Amino acid sequence: AAGTWAGKAIAMEAVREYQVLPSPSDVRHGNFAGASNNAVTRSGTNDLRGSAFYYGRYGALSRNVPWIRDARYERAQAGFSLGGPLRKNRAHFFVATEFQRLLFPTVGPYVGQSASATPVLQVEPDTLARFETTLSQLGLAGGTAGPITAGNPLSNIFARVDVALPGIKSRLVVRENYSRADSAAFSRPSPPPTGNCRSLICFPLSSVARRQLVTKDGTVAQLMTSFEGGTTNELIVG
């Protein structure tokens, strides 16, 4: 699966090795020029094995700077993998997941920052307050001029089943890969685009924040067959 904006194409626990093709000429990789980076996924074995991980980072453990203290910062990643036999020597399964919860302060000046903070707030707070009030009276949600917290939650789920078919000298592989990235983007100019801008154009409210949600779900089935004399064939349906 291809990568996603601010997301991952596959859970890291599902990767067995990386394959780098500097100049792919195989028709299975498509018609393009340049390099291709592929992730070779893991499969189950006759032994039941699993792993789990958790990684966390929070505002109290980050740099002691105002823009992190004034807006929430939290990052937590967790996941697990499990693989084993459905039937020894004949069928195996493997599952890997990864989830992320990320909240972080956006970049740029904001109302309420300390007088010594950089970049300097060049728009008067009273002007911003009047502008917010005007938008409210018009029934518009302008947002806030204060510190903003953005988010980027991620989800990755990978599952694979391998089945040996000795009667037809074949092996069947079925893979499912799901990924979801929900990213928010917002920042205030730093420094202002004109170098000395005191208008509201240089100081957007939080209502101009952009959200991009990308969801990918793909299922692939591969049938690999060996013939007399060492000839092989591979059928891929996705």
Side-chain angles (χ1 to χ4, degrees), residues 55-69:
Y55 167 81
R57 184 178 178 186
Y58 305 92
L61 303 175
S62 303
R63 290 186 301 159
N64 187 21
V65 292
W67 69 280
I68 289 183
R69 294 291 172 259

PDB file of all heavy atoms in Angstrom, residues 55-69:
ATOM      1  N   TYR A  55       4.696   3.349  23.606  1.00  0.00           N
ATOM      2  CA  TYR A  55       5.622   4.478  23.663  1.00  0.00           C
ATOM      3  C   TYR A  55       4.814   5.723  24.004  1.00  0.00           C
ATOM      4  O   TYR A  55       3.784   5.994  23.385  1.00  0.00           O
ATOM      5  CB  TYR A  55       6.320   4.655  22.308  1.00  0.00           C
ATOM      6  CG  TYR A  55       7.061   5.964  22.166  1.00  0.00           C
ATOM      7  CD1 TYR A  55       8.327   6.138  22.710  1.00  0.00           C
ATOM      8  CD2 TYR A  55       6.491   7.033  21.479  1.00  0.00           C
ATOM      9  CE1 TYR A  55       9.007   7.332  22.579  1.00  0.00           C
ATOM     10  CE2 TYR A  55       7.156   8.237  21.347  1.00  0.00           C
ATOM     11  CZ  TYR A  55       8.408   8.381  21.897  1.00  0.00           C
ATOM     12  OH  TYR A  55       9.066   9.573  21.768  1.00  0.00           O
ATOM     13  N   GLY A  56       5.266   6.463  25.008  1.00  0.00           N
ATOM     14  CA  GLY A  56       4.540   7.666  25.404  1.00  0.00           C
ATOM     15  C   GLY A  56       5.463   8.836  25.648  1.00  0.00           C
ATOM     16  O   GLY A  56       6.588   8.670  26.133  1.00  0.00           O
ATOM     17  N   ARG A  57       4.988  10.002  25.293  1.00  0.00           N
ATOM     18  CA  ARG A  57       5.723  11.241  25.553  1.00  0.00           C
ATOM     19  C   ARG A  57       4.695  12.326  25.852  1.00  0.00           C
ATOM     20  O   ARG A  57       3.716  12.472  25.113  1.00  0.00           O
ATOM     21  CB  ARG A  57       6.565  11.637  24.345  1.00  0.00           C
ATOM     22  CG  ARG A  57       7.426  12.874  24.602  1.00  0.00           C
ATOM     23  CD  ARG A  57       8.282  13.209  23.396  1.00  0.00           C
ATOM     24  NE  ARG A  57       9.070  14.404  23.604  1.00  0.00           N
ATOM     25  CZ  ARG A  57       9.821  14.983  22.670  1.00  0.00           C
ATOM     26  NH1 ARG A  57       9.891  14.460  21.466  1.00  0.00           N
ATOM     27  NH2 ARG A  57      10.517  16.069  22.942  1.00  0.00           N
ATOM     28  N   TYR A  58       4.934  13.074  26.916  1.00  0.00           N
ATOM     29  CA  TYR A  58       3.944  14.037  27.373  1.00  0.00           C
ATOM     30  C   TYR A  58       4.591  15.392  27.630  1.00  0.00           C
ATOM     31  O   TYR A  58       5.818  15.517  27.706  1.00  0.00           O
ATOM     32  CB  TYR A  58       3.257  13.513  28.641  1.00  0.00           C
ATOM     33  CG  TYR A  58       2.655  12.140  28.445  1.00  0.00           C
ATOM     34  CD1 TYR A  58       3.389  10.995  28.749  1.00  0.00           C
ATOM     35  CD2 TYR A  58       1.383  11.994  27.913  1.00  0.00           C
ATOM     36  CE1 TYR A  58       2.845   9.732  28.539  1.00  0.00           C
ATOM     37  CE2 TYR A  58       0.833  10.739  27.704  1.00  0.00           C
ATOM     38  CZ  TYR A  58       1.571   9.610  28.021  1.00  0.00           C
ATOM     39  OH  TYR A  58       1.042   8.375  27.797  1.00  0.00           O
ATOM     40  N   GLY A  59       3.723  16.409  27.780  1.00  0.00           N
ATOM     41  CA  GLY A  59       4.220  17.762  27.948  1.00  0.00           C
ATOM     42  C   GLY A  59       5.163  17.912  29.122  1.00  0.00           C
ATOM     43  O   GLY A  59       6.153  18.651  29.058  1.00  0.00           O
ATOM     44  N   ALA A  60       4.901  17.214  30.216  1.00  0.00           N
ATOM     45  CA  ALA A  60       5.755  17.311  31.399  1.00  0.00           C
ATOM     46  C   ALA A  60       7.151  16.768  31.148  1.00  0.00           C
ATOM     47  O   ALA A  60       8.093  17.112  31.861  1.00  0.00           O
ATOM     48  CB  ALA A  60       5.111  16.562  32.560  1.00  0.00           C
ATOM     49  N   LEU A  61       7.294  15.917  30.130  1.00  0.00           N
ATOM     50  CA  LEU A  61       8.600  15.334  29.806  1.00  0.00           C
ATOM     51  C   LEU A  61       9.262  16.021  28.623  1.00  0.00           C
ATOM     52  O   LEU A  61      10.328  15.595  28.183  1.00  0.00           O
ATOM     53  CB  LEU A  61       8.439  13.839  29.497  1.00  0.00           C
ATOM     54  CG  LEU A  61       7.793  12.994  30.605  1.00  0.00           C
ATOM     55  CD1 LEU A  61       7.593  11.571  30.118  1.00  0.00           C
ATOM     56  CD2 LEU A  61       8.660  13.009  31.861  1.00  0.00           C
ATOM     57  N   SER A  62       8.640  17.078  28.083  1.00  0.00           N
ATOM     58  CA  SER A  62       9.181  17.778  26.920  1.00  0.00           C
ATOM     59  C   SER A  62       9.910  19.046  27.346  1.00  0.00           C
ATOM     60  O   SER A  62      10.019  19.348  28.536  1.00  0.00           O
ATOM     61  CB  SER A  62       8.039  18.117  25.946  1.00  0.00           C
ATOM     62  OG  SER A  62       7.359  16.961  25.556  1.00  0.00           O
ATOM     63  N   ARG A  63      10.376  19.781  26.385  1.00  0.00           N
ATOM     64  CA  ARG A  63      11.103  21.017  26.676  1.00  0.00           C
ATOM     65  C   ARG A  63      10.231  21.997  27.457  1.00  0.00           C
ATOM     66  O   ARG A  63       9.048  22.117  27.204  1.00  0.00           O
ATOM     67  CB  ARG A  63      11.559  21.678  25.376  1.00  0.00           C
ATOM     68  CG  ARG A  63      12.654  20.933  24.646  1.00  0.00           C
ATOM     69  CD  ARG A  63      13.138  21.744  23.469  1.00  0.00           C
ATOM     70  NE  ARG A  63      12.053  22.026  22.534  1.00  0.00           N
ATOM     71  CZ  ARG A  63      12.064  23.012  21.645  1.00  0.00           C
ATOM     72  NH1 ARG A  63      13.085  23.842  21.596  1.00  0.00           N
ATOM     73  NH2 ARG A  63      11.063  23.186  20.812  1.00  0.00           N
ATOM     74  N   ASN A  64      10.854  22.686  28.386  1.00  0.00           N
ATOM     75  CA  ASN A  64      10.134  23.652  29.204  1.00  0.00           C
ATOM     76  C   ASN A  64      10.117  25.001  28.492  1.00  0.00           C
ATOM     77  O   ASN A  64      10.815  25.938  28.852  1.00  0.00           O
ATOM     78  CB  ASN A  64      10.793  23.772  30.583  1.00  0.00           C
ATOM     79  CG  ASN A  64       9.967  24.633  31.522  1.00  0.00           C
ATOM     80  OD1 ASN A  64       8.772  24.817  31.318  1.00  0.00           O
ATOM     81  ND2 ASN A  64      10.609  25.161  32.553  1.00  0.00           N
ATOM     82  N   VAL A  65       9.288  25.084  27.447  1.00  0.00           N
ATOM     83  CA  VAL A  65       9.128  26.323  26.686  1.00  0.00           C
ATOM     84  C   VAL A  65       7.642  26.676  26.701  1.00  0.00           C
ATOM     85  O   VAL A  65       6.778  25.795  26.770  1.00  0.00           O
ATOM     86  CB  VAL A  65       9.640  26.174  25.246  1.00  0.00           C
ATOM     87  CG1 VAL A  65      11.158  26.009  25.226  1.00  0.00           C
ATOM     88  CG2 VAL A  65       8.987  24.976  24.555  1.00  0.00           C
ATOM     89  N   PRO A  66       7.311  27.994  26.640  1.00  0.00           N
ATOM     90  CA  PRO A  66       5.919  28.422  26.812  1.00  0.00           C
ATOM     91  C   PRO A  66       4.941  27.788  25.834  1.00  0.00           C
ATOM     92  O   PRO A  66       3.835  27.410  26.205  1.00  0.00           O
ATOM     93  CB  PRO A  66       6.000  29.942  26.622  1.00  0.00           C
ATOM     94  CG  PRO A  66       7.405  30.291  27.004  1.00  0.00           C
ATOM     95  CD  PRO A  66       8.233  29.128  26.552  1.00  0.00           C
ATOM     96  N   TRP A  67       5.310  27.664  24.541  1.00  0.00           N
ATOM     97  CA  TRP A  67       4.323  27.198  23.567  1.00  0.00           C
ATOM     98  C   TRP A  67       3.948  25.739  23.779  1.00  0.00           C
ATOM     99  O   TRP A  67       2.875  25.303  23.357  1.00  0.00           O
ATOM    100  CB  TRP A  67       4.815  27.444  22.137  1.00  0.00           C
ATOM    101  CG  TRP A  67       5.977  26.603  21.709  1.00  0.00           C
ATOM    102  CD1 TRP A  67       7.274  26.817  22.001  1.00  0.00           C
ATOM    103  CD2 TRP A  67       5.931  25.419  20.905  1.00  0.00           C
ATOM    104  NE1 TRP A  67       8.061  25.842  21.430  1.00  0.00           N
ATOM    105  CE2 TRP A  67       7.255  24.983  20.750  1.00  0.00           C
ATOM    106  CE3 TRP A  67       4.905  24.699  20.301  1.00  0.00           C
ATOM    107  CZ2 TRP A  67       7.587  23.851  20.021  1.00  0.00           C
ATOM    108  CZ3 TRP A  67       5.239  23.568  19.562  1.00  0.00           C
ATOM    109  CH2 TRP A  67       6.563  23.156  19.421  1.00  0.00           C
ATOM    110  N   ILE A  68       4.781  24.962  24.485  1.00  0.00           N
ATOM    111  CA  ILE A  68       4.403  23.600  24.846  1.00  0.00           C
ATOM    112  C   ILE A  68       3.616  23.603  26.149  1.00  0.00           C
ATOM    113  O   ILE A  68       2.691  22.814  26.332  1.00  0.00           O
ATOM    114  CB  ILE A  68       5.658  22.701  24.964  1.00  0.00           C
ATOM    115  CG1 ILE A  68       6.246  22.448  23.571  1.00  0.00           C
ATOM    116  CG2 ILE A  68       5.322  21.379  25.633  1.00  0.00           C
ATOM    117  CD1 ILE A  68       7.446  21.526  23.564  1.00  0.00           C
ATOM    118  N   ARG A  69       3.944  24.505  27.069  1.00  0.00           N
ATOM    119  CA  ARG A  69       3.229  24.571  28.338  1.00  0.00           C
ATOM    120  C   ARG A  69       1.817  25.153  28.184  1.00  0.00           C
ATOM    121  O   ARG A  69       0.908  24.794  28.923  1.00  0.00           O
ATOM    122  CB  ARG A  69       4.032  25.432  29.335  1.00  0.00           C
ATOM    123  CG  ARG A  69       5.366  24.820  29.728  1.00  0.00           C
ATOM    124  CD  ARG A  69       5.171  23.577  30.567  1.00  0.00           C
ATOM    125  NE  ARG A  69       6.436  22.882  30.783  1.00  0.00           N
ATOM    126  CZ  ARG A  69       6.821  21.812  30.115  1.00  0.00           C
ATOM    127  NH1 ARG A  69       6.033  21.309  29.189  1.00  0.00           N
ATOM    128  NH2 ARG A  69       7.964  21.215  30.362  1.00  0.00           N
TER     129      ARG A  69
END
